[in-house]
Amino acid sequence: TQTVMKTQSQIFDFGRFAACLRRDIALNGKSWALKALMMLGVTTILLIIATHPIYISDYSYEAAQADGDLTIFKFCGSVFFALGASMFMENMTSSGLRLNSLMSPASNLEKYLSRLVICVVGVIAAYLICYAIADALRVAYVHYRYSSLTGVRYIGPLAIQSFAESKFYLWGYLLAVQATFVLGSTVWPKNSFLKTFGTMVVLAIVLIILTERVFSICYRPGYAWFGLPEFLDILIKAIPLCWSVFCYVTAYFRFKESEIINRF
């Protein structure tokens, strides 16, 4: 029993994990705070632009602001989740940072979870808070600039999800993007965002071409594809979840390699 407990403590210990997390935050806390301010500023500006009254003519501002808010929520979420995830391996981008990380007494799993808390969970929390503040600033600006405009209301990060076609699709897509860039960071620690984005563009083009070819070969006019819509719906829901799990598991093993092999 003592041997088992000792083995488990070498893999994960909450005290060591907490110390590793505090260390990572202390090393990059100011940088992340500045990034959060940038996130707030960019989100606020884009929200004001997307819901500005001068762009609305055919329908009410109340409906238009919901559409604009949802568009910015998805766009900014995709960009900031990807940027945050791309910094997953920023502590391994130079020999000095790598040595500093290797000197930490925490296990690989503890270091990996520490990076996940900061670059994944922390970025999600920071984005939701920034979006909440940004939407309040949007409302304040519109009220100040167009005091007679009706239908202006605060929406925020929680209520905006009710305007999405599906919360599962919305968050499945955002989390899959985030997982993809975490994996990309473990493959290309330096300039990870640009390299991962470029790879995704190439793969998307190849996938579109292959999909078109398959449908052009398999499609037959007048043939009833029984059960196909239901199957596609299940497939669309399953793909982001399966892909995210694959990315995080693969990223963990890539992360372990970086502790052993001097690749940078």
Side-chain angles (χ1 to χ4, degrees), residues 8 11 19 26 33 35-36 46 57 83 88-89 93 98 119 134 144 162 214 225 233 243:
Q8 290 176 339
I11 297 173
K35 291 179 176 68
L46 292 180
S57 57
L83 287 171
F88 183 80
M89 293 286 285
T93 53
R98 184 175 184 276
C119 299
Y144 173 77
S162 63
V214 170
W225 295 84
D233 183 65
W243 175 249

Side-chain angles (χ1 to χ4, degrees), residues 26 61 88 100 106 112 122 143 161 165 231:
Y61 184 83
F88 183 80
N100 192 31
Y112 177 78
H143 272 305
Q161 298 176 53
E165 181 180 352
F231 172 75

Side-chain angles (χ1 to χ4, degrees), residues 12-35:
F12 181 83
D13 178 80
F14 186 80
R16 281 201 313 265
F17 166 70
C20 181
L21 182 60
R22 288 194 300 268
R23 177 177 172 274
D24 283 345
I25 294 174
L27 287 174
N28 303 294
K30 292 182 179 179
S31 174
W32 283 103
L34 291 174
K35 291 179 176 68

Side-chain angles (χ1 to χ4, degrees), residues 4 17 118 127 138 193:
V4 173
F17 166 70
I118 295 173
Y127 176 66
R138 172 192 67 84
F193 178 81

Side-chain angles (χ1 to χ4, degrees), residues 115-138:
R115 300 305 299 172
L116 280 185
V117 169
I118 295 173
C119 299
V120 176
V121 179
V123 170
I124 293 174
Y127 176 66
L128 294 177
I129 293 172
C130 287
Y131 187 89
I133 298 173
D135 202 45
L137 294 174
R138 172 192 67 84

Side-chain angles (χ1 to χ4, degrees), residues 168-191:
F168 189 92
Y169 292 154
L170 173 64
W171 281 103
Y173 162 75
L174 290 175
L175 296 179
V177 168
Q178 194 173 37
T180 301
F181 280 84
V182 167
L183 178 58
S185 181
T186 63
V187 177
W188 304 290
K190 295 181 180 179
N191 301 317

